[in-house]
Amino acid sequence: MTTGRQVTVVCCLLLLWTAGVAAHDLSAANNAFVRGLEGPAAVPFLYLGAKHMFTGVDHLLFLLGIIFFLYRPRDIVLYITLFTVGHSLTLMLGVWADWQVNEHLVDAIIGLSVVYKAFENMGGFRDVLGIEPDPRIAVFVFGLCHGLGLATKLQNTIHTGNGMLVNLLSFNAGVELGQVAALVLILLLLLRWRGTRLFHQQAFVLNTVVMCAGFLLAGNQLAGYLLT
């Protein structure tokens, strides 16, 4: 299969996958399992954190957007660190301080973060709007939003009191492990694709599809907010 056909297949699968995602939540089985835990349970929460990040289409698309045009290792480390610090802060504080925010609205913002990053990668801010926002600030701020989204998933399931800190730290560590695994996979695929002569032409198409996927994610969440 040619690279062009591979990109087309990836774009179609991406849209179908996104359209089927109503919400990036813990599964019913995992939710019931977490509710049944008493006291410190580092390993189960580590696993849940990794699974939640690795299977979350919104987080994965944002990660893809962050590193899409980053070529130097130090830039990748810098941007991923900003994202990690941001989402770790609000994940920990959101659960610990029991910040009450509407999960649909937070997830809608997360969907729009995917739109933002894809639009930036397409040169939209520079070519259409004539502005160039600092991408480092955007990654950090959206990292805060992604962490708050993660916090809303845990608030109703994690027990307060004995073991809460250990479980919360374990979940966050799992999120980081899942992020590293996803990042390595995405980066390997990107490196292979960048070596082809049509990369820059196809990159615009893929970012257009990613932007549409972000709108789908945000629309699903806004519909959920209006209907509940």
Side-chain angles (χ1 to χ4, degrees):
M1 185 182 293
T2 64
T3 304
R5 287 182 180 177
Q6 289 174 346
V7 171
T8 302
V9 170
V10 169
C11 290
C12 292
L13 290 175
L14 180 59
L15 284 176
L16 288 172
W17 183 25
T18 307
V21 175
H24 179 203
D25 211 341
L26 296 177
S27 70
N30 287 338
N31 205 328
F33 176 72
V34 171
R35 284 176 180 273
L37 294 174
E38 295 285 350
V43 174
F45 276 95
L46 190 75
Y47 166 75
L48 287 174
K51 179 184 176 185
H52 191 74
M53 173 57 82
F54 200 76
T55 59
V57 62
D58 44 6
H59 301 306
L60 296 178
L61 289 178
F62 192 68
L63 272 181
L64 171 64
I66 291 174
I67 66 169
F68 201 88
F69 284 122
L70 295 181
Y71 289 83
R72 297 185 298 183
R74 69 177 182 181
D75 288 335
I76 295 174
V77 171
L78 170 64
Y79 279 77
I80 295 302
T81 300
L82 287 171
F83 180 60
T84 300
V85 170
H87 75 236
S88 295
L89 274 175
T90 44
L91 167 58
M92 301 289 291
L93 289 174
V95 176
W96 190 261
D98 195 25
W99 291 348
Q100 293 299 313
V101 294
N102 186 285
E103 62 181 301
H104 287 297
L105 291 182
V106 176
D107 283 342
I109 293 172
I110 291 173
L112 292 177
S113 73
V114 175
V115 174
Y116 181 99
K117 203 61 197 167
F119 187 65
E120 182 183 73
N121 286 340
M122 295 160 67
F125 288 109
R126 181 188 63 245
D127 299 337
V128 178
L129 302 179
I131 58 175
E132 291 191 66
D134 190 329
R136 294 167 297 184
I137 295 176
V139 166
F140 177 72
V141 171
F142 282 129
L144 295 173
C145 298
H146 280 247
L148 197 55
L150 290 165
T152 62
K153 307 299 182 295
L154 269 186
Q155 283 173 330
N156 296 326
T157 53
I158 194 169
H159 288 290
T160 58
N162 182 33
M164 180 182 179
L165 182 59
V166 171
N167 295 340
L168 190 51
L169 289 171
S170 300
F171 185 86
N172 192 47
V175 166
E176 305 315 327
L177 289 175
Q179 179 173 281
V180 169
L183 190 62
V184 169
L185 181 60
I186 293 171
L187 193 55
L188 288 174
L189 292 173
L190 266 179
L191 288 173
R192 179 181 172 83
W193 186 22
R194 285 171 180 169
T196 64
R197 63 184 175 84
L198 294 177
F199 169 70
H200 286 284
Q201 294 162 280
Q202 294 167 343
F204 188 88
V205 175
L206 184 66
N207 275 290
T208 303
V209 173
V210 169
M211 188 166 68
C212 293
F215 277 125
L216 278 174
L217 289 167
N220 277 338
Q221 295 303 325
L222 288 175
Y225 173 73
L226 294 173
L227 296 174
T228 55

mmCIF file of all heavy atoms in Angstrom, residues 20-44:
data_model
loop_
_atom_site.group_PDB
_atom_site.id
_atom_site.type_symbol
_atom_site.label_atom_id
_atom_site.label_comp_id
_atom_site.label_asym_id
_atom_site.label_seq_id
_atom_site.Cartn_x
_atom_site.Cartn_y
_atom_site.Cartn_z
ATOM 1 N N GLY A 20 -17.225 7.490 17.401
ATOM 2 C CA GLY A 20 -17.788 6.501 18.318
ATOM 3 C C GLY A 20 -17.474 6.755 19.768
ATOM 4 O O GLY A 20 -17.938 6.037 20.650
ATOM 5 N N VAL A 21 -16.689 7.807 20.034
ATOM 6 C CA VAL A 21 -16.308 8.101 21.416
ATOM 7 C C VAL A 21 -17.290 9.087 22.008
ATOM 8 O O VAL A 21 -17.304 10.256 21.657
ATOM 9 C CB VAL A 21 -14.880 8.692 21.478
ATOM 10 C CG1 VAL A 21 -14.556 9.112 22.902
ATOM 11 C CG2 VAL A 21 -13.877 7.676 20.996
ATOM 12 N N ALA A 22 -18.153 8.613 22.884
ATOM 13 C CA ALA A 22 -19.101 9.523 23.530
ATOM 14 C C ALA A 22 -18.433 10.252 24.676
ATOM 15 O O ALA A 22 -18.701 11.401 24.941
ATOM 16 C CB ALA A 22 -20.309 8.745 24.051
ATOM 17 N N ALA A 23 -17.580 9.573 25.401
ATOM 18 C CA ALA A 23 -16.884 10.195 26.522
ATOM 19 C C ALA A 23 -15.690 9.352 26.882
ATOM 20 O O ALA A 23 -15.717 8.131 26.774
ATOM 21 C CB ALA A 23 -17.807 10.323 27.729
ATOM 22 N N HIS A 24 -14.616 10.037 27.304
ATOM 23 C CA HIS A 24 -13.418 9.311 27.710
ATOM 24 C C HIS A 24 -13.517 9.087 29.208
ATOM 25 O O HIS A 24 -13.063 9.886 29.999
ATOM 26 C CB HIS A 24 -12.191 10.163 27.355
ATOM 27 C CG HIS A 24 -10.914 9.526 27.746
ATOM 28 N ND1 HIS A 24 -9.767 10.230 27.959
ATOM 29 C CD2 HIS A 24 -10.598 8.240 27.980
ATOM 30 C CE1 HIS A 24 -8.798 9.410 28.294
ATOM 31 N NE2 HIS A 24 -9.278 8.198 28.322
ATOM 32 N N ASP A 25 -14.158 7.999 29.598
ATOM 33 C CA ASP A 25 -14.443 7.758 31.003
ATOM 34 C C ASP A 25 -13.896 6.406 31.406
ATOM 35 O O ASP A 25 -13.511 5.589 30.567
ATOM 36 C CB ASP A 25 -15.964 7.796 31.211
ATOM 37 C CG ASP A 25 -16.300 8.296 32.598
ATOM 38 O OD1 ASP A 25 -15.416 8.256 33.469
ATOM 39 O OD2 ASP A 25 -17.452 8.701 32.797
ATOM 40 N N LEU A 26 -13.855 6.162 32.730
ATOM 41 C CA LEU A 26 -13.503 4.819 33.188
ATOM 42 C C LEU A 26 -14.625 3.877 32.787
ATOM 43 O O LEU A 26 -15.794 4.235 32.830
ATOM 44 C CB LEU A 26 -13.350 4.807 34.715
ATOM 45 C CG LEU A 26 -12.230 5.656 35.318
ATOM 46 C CD1 LEU A 26 -12.291 5.584 36.836
ATOM 47 C CD2 LEU A 26 -10.871 5.182 34.830
ATOM 48 N N SER A 27 -14.288 2.650 32.388
ATOM 49 C CA SER A 27 -15.321 1.699 32.016
ATOM 50 C C SER A 27 -16.139 1.326 33.247
ATOM 51 O O SER A 27 -15.717 1.529 34.389
ATOM 52 C CB SER A 27 -14.675 0.445 31.417
ATOM 53 O OG SER A 27 -13.999 -0.270 32.431
ATOM 54 N N ALA A 28 -17.330 0.770 33.007
ATOM 55 C CA ALA A 28 -18.197 0.392 34.129
ATOM 56 C C ALA A 28 -17.517 -0.634 35.032
ATOM 57 O O ALA A 28 -17.617 -0.560 36.264
ATOM 58 C CB ALA A 28 -19.511 -0.161 33.580
ATOM 59 N N ALA A 29 -16.815 -1.593 34.409
ATOM 60 C CA ALA A 29 -16.125 -2.622 35.200
ATOM 61 C C ALA A 29 -15.026 -2.000 36.053
ATOM 62 O O ALA A 29 -14.883 -2.318 37.243
ATOM 63 C CB ALA A 29 -15.549 -3.686 34.266
ATOM 64 N N ASN A 30 -14.235 -1.103 35.424
ATOM 65 C CA ASN A 30 -13.166 -0.448 36.184
ATOM 66 C C ASN A 30 -13.728 0.448 37.274
ATOM 67 O O ASN A 30 -13.168 0.538 38.375
ATOM 68 C CB ASN A 30 -12.289 0.380 35.239
ATOM 69 C CG ASN A 30 -11.406 -0.492 34.370
ATOM 70 O OD1 ASN A 30 -11.123 -1.630 34.710
ATOM 71 N ND2 ASN A 30 -10.982 0.035 33.240
ATOM 72 N N ASN A 31 -14.834 1.122 36.957
ATOM 73 C CA ASN A 31 -15.454 2.009 37.935
ATOM 74 C C ASN A 31 -15.899 1.221 39.165
ATOM 75 O O ASN A 31 -15.658 1.618 40.310
ATOM 76 C CB ASN A 31 -16.656 2.704 37.289
ATOM 77 C CG ASN A 31 -16.957 4.013 37.962
ATOM 78 O OD1 ASN A 31 -16.733 4.157 39.151
ATOM 79 N ND2 ASN A 31 -17.456 4.972 37.208
ATOM 80 N N ALA A 32 -16.542 0.082 38.920
ATOM 81 C CA ALA A 32 -17.004 -0.756 40.030
ATOM 82 C C ALA A 32 -15.827 -1.296 40.830
ATOM 83 O O ALA A 32 -15.867 -1.380 42.065
ATOM 84 C CB ALA A 32 -17.849 -1.902 39.481
ATOM 85 N N PHE A 33 -14.758 -1.660 40.114
ATOM 86 C CA PHE A 33 -13.569 -2.190 40.788
ATOM 87 C C PHE A 33 -12.946 -1.137 41.698
ATOM 88 O O PHE A 33 -12.601 -1.409 42.859
ATOM 89 C CB PHE A 33 -12.557 -2.652 39.742
ATOM 90 C CG PHE A 33 -11.255 -3.139 40.323
ATOM 91 C CD1 PHE A 33 -11.193 -4.343 41.002
ATOM 92 C CD2 PHE A 33 -10.100 -2.373 40.202
ATOM 93 C CE1 PHE A 33 -9.992 -4.784 41.556
ATOM 94 C CE2 PHE A 33 -8.901 -2.809 40.740
ATOM 95 C CZ PHE A 33 -8.851 -4.021 41.419
ATOM 96 N N VAL A 34 -12.813 0.092 41.182
ATOM 97 C CA VAL A 34 -12.206 1.169 41.964
ATOM 98 C C VAL A 34 -13.041 1.481 43.197
ATOM 99 O O VAL A 34 -12.523 1.681 44.296
ATOM 100 C CB VAL A 34 -12.048 2.435 41.095
ATOM 101 C CG1 VAL A 34 -11.627 3.629 41.951
ATOM 102 C CG2 VAL A 34 -11.010 2.197 40.012
ATOM 103 N N ARG A 35 -14.364 1.499 43.029
ATOM 104 C CA ARG A 35 -15.240 1.811 44.159
ATOM 105 C C ARG A 35 -15.117 0.768 45.265
ATOM 106 O O ARG A 35 -15.349 1.047 46.441
ATOM 107 C CB ARG A 35 -16.693 1.888 43.681
ATOM 108 C CG ARG A 35 -17.031 3.169 42.937
ATOM 109 C CD ARG A 35 -18.459 3.114 42.420
ATOM 110 N NE ARG A 35 -18.823 4.325 41.714
ATOM 111 C CZ ARG A 35 -19.312 5.409 42.302
ATOM 112 N NH1 ARG A 35 -19.475 5.419 43.605
ATOM 113 N NH2 ARG A 35 -19.627 6.468 41.588
ATOM 114 N N GLY A 36 -14.739 -0.460 44.888
ATOM 115 C CA GLY A 36 -14.648 -1.525 45.874
ATOM 116 C C GLY A 36 -13.330 -1.556 46.624
ATOM 117 O O GLY A 36 -13.155 -2.358 47.544
ATOM 118 N N LEU A 37 -12.388 -0.710 46.234
ATOM 119 C CA LEU A 37 -11.072 -0.723 46.877
ATOM 120 C C LEU A 37 -11.091 0.073 48.171
ATOM 121 O O LEU A 37 -11.685 1.141 48.248
ATOM 122 C CB LEU A 37 -10.023 -0.125 45.930
ATOM 123 C CG LEU A 37 -9.727 -0.914 44.650
ATOM 124 C CD1 LEU A 37 -8.787 -0.123 43.757
ATOM 125 C CD2 LEU A 37 -9.111 -2.274 44.983
ATOM 126 N N GLU A 38 -10.457 -0.467 49.190
ATOM 127 C CA GLU A 38 -10.318 0.231 50.476
ATOM 128 C C GLU A 38 -8.841 0.388 50.787
ATOM 129 O O GLU A 38 -8.061 -0.551 50.661
ATOM 130 C CB GLU A 38 -10.987 -0.580 51.598
ATOM 131 C CG GLU A 38 -12.496 -0.722 51.462
ATOM 132 C CD GLU A 38 -13.243 0.557 51.816
ATOM 133 O OE1 GLU A 38 -12.601 1.486 52.351
ATOM 134 O OE2 GLU A 38 -14.453 0.631 51.532
ATOM 135 N N GLY A 39 -8.423 1.597 51.217
ATOM 136 C CA GLY A 39 -7.030 1.818 51.585
ATOM 137 C C GLY A 39 -6.124 1.926 50.371
ATOM 138 O O GLY A 39 -6.583 1.998 49.231
ATOM 139 N N PRO A 40 -4.800 1.939 50.628
ATOM 140 C CA PRO A 40 -3.839 2.086 49.527
ATOM 141 C C PRO A 40 -3.921 0.921 48.540
ATOM 142 O O PRO A 40 -3.974 -0.240 48.947
ATOM 143 C CB PRO A 40 -2.482 2.100 50.244
ATOM 144 C CG PRO A 40 -2.778 2.456 51.659
ATOM 145 C CD PRO A 40 -4.139 1.875 51.956
ATOM 146 N N ALA A 41 -3.943 1.232 47.249
ATOM 147 C CA ALA A 41 -3.982 0.196 46.199
ATOM 148 C C ALA A 41 -3.181 0.723 45.012
ATOM 149 O O ALA A 41 -3.739 1.083 43.967
ATOM 150 C CB ALA A 41 -5.423 -0.121 45.807
ATOM 151 N N ALA A 42 -1.853 0.778 45.194
ATOM 152 C CA ALA A 42 -0.983 1.430 44.212
ATOM 153 C C ALA A 42 -1.042 0.775 42.830
ATOM 154 O O ALA A 42 -1.182 1.468 41.815
ATOM 155 C CB ALA A 42 0.454 1.432 44.743
ATOM 156 N N VAL A 43 -0.949 -0.533 42.791
ATOM 157 C CA VAL A 43 -0.865 -1.208 41.487
ATOM 158 C C VAL A 43 -2.150 -1.055 40.669
ATOM 159 O O VAL A 43 -2.086 -0.701 39.478
ATOM 160 C CB VAL A 43 -0.503 -2.701 41.677
ATOM 161 C CG1 VAL A 43 -0.551 -3.435 40.338
ATOM 162 C CG2 VAL A 43 0.893 -2.822 42.293
ATOM 163 N N PRO A 44 -3.330 -1.304 41.252
ATOM 164 C CA PRO A 44 -4.550 -1.107 40.453
ATOM 165 C C PRO A 44 -4.696 0.325 39.925
ATOM 166 O O PRO A 44 -5.088 0.529 38.770
ATOM 167 C CB PRO A 44 -5.673 -1.440 41.439
ATOM 168 C CG PRO A 44 -5.048 -2.376 42.413
ATOM 169 C CD PRO A 44 -3.645 -1.891 42.565
#
